Amino acid sequence: MKEKYIMALDQGTTSSRCMIFNRSGEIVSQSQREFTQIYPRPGYVEHDPMEIWGSQIGVAVEAMRRASIDAEEISSIGITNQRETTILWDKNTGLPVYNAIVWQCRRTADLCGRLKAEGLEETVNKKTGLVLDPYFSGTKIKWILDHVDGVREKAKKGEILFGTIDTWLIWNLTAGKSHLTDFTNASRTMVYNIYEKKWDKELLNILSIPERMLPEVMPSKGILAYADQSIFGREIPISGVAGDQQAALFGQGCLSAGMAKNTYGTGCFLLMNTGDKPVQSKNGLITTLAASLEKDVQYALEGSVFTGGAVIQWLRDGLGLISKADETLKYALMTGDTGGVYIVPAFTGLGAPSWDPYARGIITGITRGTGKEHIIRAALESMAYQSMDIIHAMEEDSGIDLKILKADGGASANDFLMGFQADILNKPVIRPQNVETTALGAALLSGLGTGFMNQSHIEKISGESKEFKPDMKEEKRNVLIEGWQEAVKKALCR
Ligand code: ADP
């Protein structure tokens, strides 16, 4: 059989990547390209959709070339992507009518404020599982319809299409034949009803978005479309699609209720699979759709730490205490504890469960004996404490006692952080050998979607990992957590 590989397209916020996996889930070739971040005004963030497509197809071809792989050997394509980022394009020309409005972009903050004042927050939450925030696609779609000349009229006539990044890539890969998305990406638009699993007419009405511009929503696993022959020289099935965090959840093997993963990157992204049961959070967490092995969808609770690994970047670039992120390990191990120092890195406010946008960062407990190693250790610990707060909120909301935490992302390479996370949670933390769980998740969905892979492949892949077992006395843990909670109180502005 000639087909040996799966191509995973990983379209991220700062770069487009392609990883080619074999059937054992090993990466045989990869390529990555950064693209332009456009900041037209403070708080505004855009990408050029053509540059996204160009860089994505560029790395796909490059990854094949590097390992001398031809299209005949690619069994299928999986896609994972930065979520919520919004593109509108002309159905006839295929050209974007405006730049992509990136998830980080705050331009619709005022609009969200007005909708909140009208009392719509609860409606949005009840239907979409989200909070009413500029982060999600809905108000970004409205912004383009309202601000770009002639677009609303064309949209009403069915000449404009909306898509998140997955949809845009699929449209281009299929040479304009398929306009579709998957459940996980749809669940981030703020106009998709995650309970009824359909576009929500009331929300579309509120935002004046014509339904005909929206893509068809399909399961994350299974053949959704075929890449056109003109792209790689032969038709290739696109058989796995999921937003980046949901792809990572799948790639980490969190396939049943009560399993959770944390991605320790610039921020930390936590998702807990809650199975068939959508859980409404009382702690400001988000309810979202997850990719499922057996059925069309599962549900997940999601929470994020705004400043995760970014606190380490600050030690490096702001304070000059270290020259590289991995030096933090050496300093953390120099000392048995932080000497009572806590850093609450609320650089941009605090998210769940405190929810205080006005909170600002603080360092507490400094004495004359405080050294650089204590500060560095406290910075690492802050990632673990903030993640713990979210996990406790997830447990409280779902009534599920988390058994283990799966870890990935750049900062998960830090063994001290992983060990401390296990200690402070009193639960084992597991880090897989392959921390590229996002691309792996897309590849697995795609491989399972065509039958090229089966469940035994997944079990083998998730088997190789390092486990960090909790090893801290309860008394000490309680004292440390109490200290953290005191420090958080001091950071709050409310
Ligand atoms: P993103 O995808 O958000 O850009 P990554 O997953 O690449 O982030 O992780 C990078 C982040 O992790 C940076 O904020 C960096 O400071 C932090 N980081 C990387 N390596 C380490 C390490 N060994 N110890 C602690 N933090 C680290």
Side-chain angles (χ1 to χ4, degrees):
M1 195 165 72
K2 263 207 111 187
E3 291 180 353
K4 296 182 220 158
Y5 307 114
I6 294 172
M7 175 187 278
L9 303 179
D10 180 358
Q11 208 302 307
T13 308
T14 55
S15 73
S16 296
R17 305 198 299 168
C18 173
M19 296 195 177
I20 299 181
F21 290 86
N22 63 19
R23 208 192 287 246
S24 310
E26 292 155 349
I27 298 167
V28 295
S29 182
Q30 57 180 311
S31 175
Q32 175 166 9
R33 206 173 286 176
E34 291 195 1
F35 56 85
T36 318
Q37 304 292 315
I38 304 166
Y39 304 110
R41 285 168 62 171
Y44 281 41
V45 191
E46 298 178 359
H47 293 155
D48 175 353
M50 296 315 279
E51 193 183 354
I52 285 191
W53 165 241
S55 60
Q56 192 61 68
I57 199 67
V59 290
V61 170
E62 174 67 14
M64 287 167 71
R65 198 193 55 77
R66 279 195 183 156
S68 304
I69 292 169
D70 66 47
E72 304 294 322
E73 293 172 296
I74 305 285
S75 167
S76 62
I77 297 172
I79 297 176
T80 180
N81 56 285
Q82 52 164 320
R83 304 175 303 172
E84 298 105 11
T85 297
T86 297
I87 306 177
L88 266 59
W89 66 95
D90 186 311
K91 187 178 173 179
N92 300 314
T93 64
L95 295 175
V97 300
Y98 193 76
N99 273 339
I101 302 186
V102 180
W103 57 272
Q104 298 152 322
C105 186
R106 307 301 296 174
R107 79 182 64 198
T108 56
D110 286 351
L111 171 59
C112 289
R114 283 201 300 278
L115 296 173
K116 273 185 199 168
E118 288 169 28
L120 289 168
E121 190 153 31
E122 205 189 324
T123 312
V124 166
N125 183 256
K126 266 200 186 141
K127 288 166 177 259
T128 68
L130 306 174
V131 292
L132 211 177
D133 193 271
Y135 199 92
F136 306 104
S137 317
T139 56
K140 299 182 197 291
I141 304 174
K142 178 171 165 55
W143 193 94
I144 299 178
L145 289 171
D146 288 346
H147 289 83
V148 185
D149 261 358
V151 170
R152 181 173 292 286
E153 288 65 42
K154 277 182 151 183
K156 280 187 195 151
K157 283 192 260 165
E159 291 170 14
I160 298 289
L161 301 179
F162 152 74
T164 39
I165 296 288
D166 54 311
T167 306
W168 172 242
L169 293 180
I170 293 170
W171 166 268
N172 281 290
L173 282 167
T174 60
K177 284 203 258 312
S178 300
H179 182 226
L180 42 90
T181 187
D182 85 299
F183 284 114
T184 67
N185 276 296
S187 74
R188 317 297 300 184
T189 58
M190 219 178 82
V191 284
Y192 191 73
N193 189 314
I194 61 166
Y195 303 99
E196 295 173 8
K197 284 189 249 151
K198 57 183 192 204
W199 297 114
D200 192 275
K201 291 203 178 350
E202 184 186 354
L203 293 174
L204 291 172
N205 237 337
I206 290 166
L207 293 171
S208 312
I209 297 173
E211 187 166 354
R212 56 198 303 192
M213 64 191 289
L214 306 176
E216 183 188 348
V217 186
M218 297 182 71
S220 302
K221 177 174 70 67
I223 297 176
L224 294 91
Y226 288 85
D228 190 75
Q229 190 168 1
S230 61
I231 308 288
F232 295 110
R234 79 171 189 119
E235 280 197 345
I236 302 176
I238 301 168
S239 50
V241 178
D244 51 12
Q245 298 309 320
Q246 283 93 336
L249 189 70
F250 198 86
Q252 282 276 27
C254 298
L255 307 177
S256 55
M259 298 183 81
K261 69 94 194 172
N262 190 7
T263 301
Y264 298 83
T266 310
C268 299
F269 286 92
L270 289 111
L271 264 82
M272 180 198 257
N273 187 321
T274 61
D276 296 337
K277 199 178 102 193
V279 174
Q280 283 263 357
S281 175
K282 291 188 183 70
N283 293 297
L285 300 174
I286 283 165
T287 312
T288 201
L289 294 178
S292 165
L293 192 60
E294 304 291 345
K295 302 193 184 133
D296 281 356
V297 292
Q298 286 185 314
Y299 290 89
L301 272 175
E302 174 174 328
S304 47
V305 171
F306 301 155
T307 305
V311 71
I312 305 300
Q313 289 164 337
W314 174 68
L315 295 183
R316 188 192 60 195
D317 307 336
L319 297 185
L321 286 185
I322 47 168
S323 56
K324 274 171 55 203
D326 59 10
E327 284 172 24
T328 54
L329 179 65
K330 176 181 78 187
Y331 286 106
L333 296 177
M334 267 183 202
T335 169
D337 55 42
T338 65
V341 173
Y342 288 92
I343 299 184
V344 184
F347 299 164
T348 53
L350 285 173
S354 309
W355 288 110
D356 183 354
Y358 305 107
R360 284 299 172 263
I362 52 163
I363 304 179
T364 65
I366 302 169
T367 64
R368 183 62 188 85
T370 300
K372 166 176 174 175
E373 64 280 15
H374 298 111
I375 302 283
I376 293 171
R377 183 171 168 129
L380 287 171
E381 290 187 358
S382 75
M383 271 189 264
Y385 284 121
Q386 292 181 94
S387 301
M388 170 196 76
D389 280 341
I390 292 185
I391 288 163
H392 287 168
M394 285 176 167
E395 292 186 317
E396 193 183 305
D397 284 336
S398 64
I400 294 170
D401 179 24
L402 184 71
K403 296 285 176 292
I404 50 169
L405 179 68
K406 303 276 191 94
D408 54 46
S412 74
N414 192 305
D415 281 6
F416 165 75
L417 171 62
M418 295 293 96
F420 187 77
Q421 184 74 82
D423 283 345
I424 213 70
L425 283 174
N426 198 28
K427 298 176 197 292
V429 174
I430 294 184
R431 180 183 64 204
Q433 200 175 43
N434 172 12
V435 289
E436 296 293 352
T437 53
T438 307
L440 177 64
L444 289 177
L445 284 167
S446 178
L448 293 165
T450 57
F452 179 74
M453 285 175 157
N454 57 42
Q455 198 156 352
S456 72
H457 290 105
I458 298 197
E459 280 152 18
K460 247 186 261 156
I461 293 161
S462 40
E464 294 160 33
S465 52
K466 180 159 177 179
E467 180 170 344
F468 297 85
K469 291 203 173 78
D471 179 28
M472 184 183 272
K473 293 235 163 64
E474 189 180 345
E475 206 178 18
K476 181 171 176 195
R477 184 168 53 250
N478 290 342
V479 169
L480 287 177
I481 293 175
E482 240 171 69
W484 165 254
Q485 287 163 343
E486 285 304 313
V488 169
K489 270 188 215 151
K490 291 177 191 153
L492 297 178
C493 268
R494 281 188 274 117

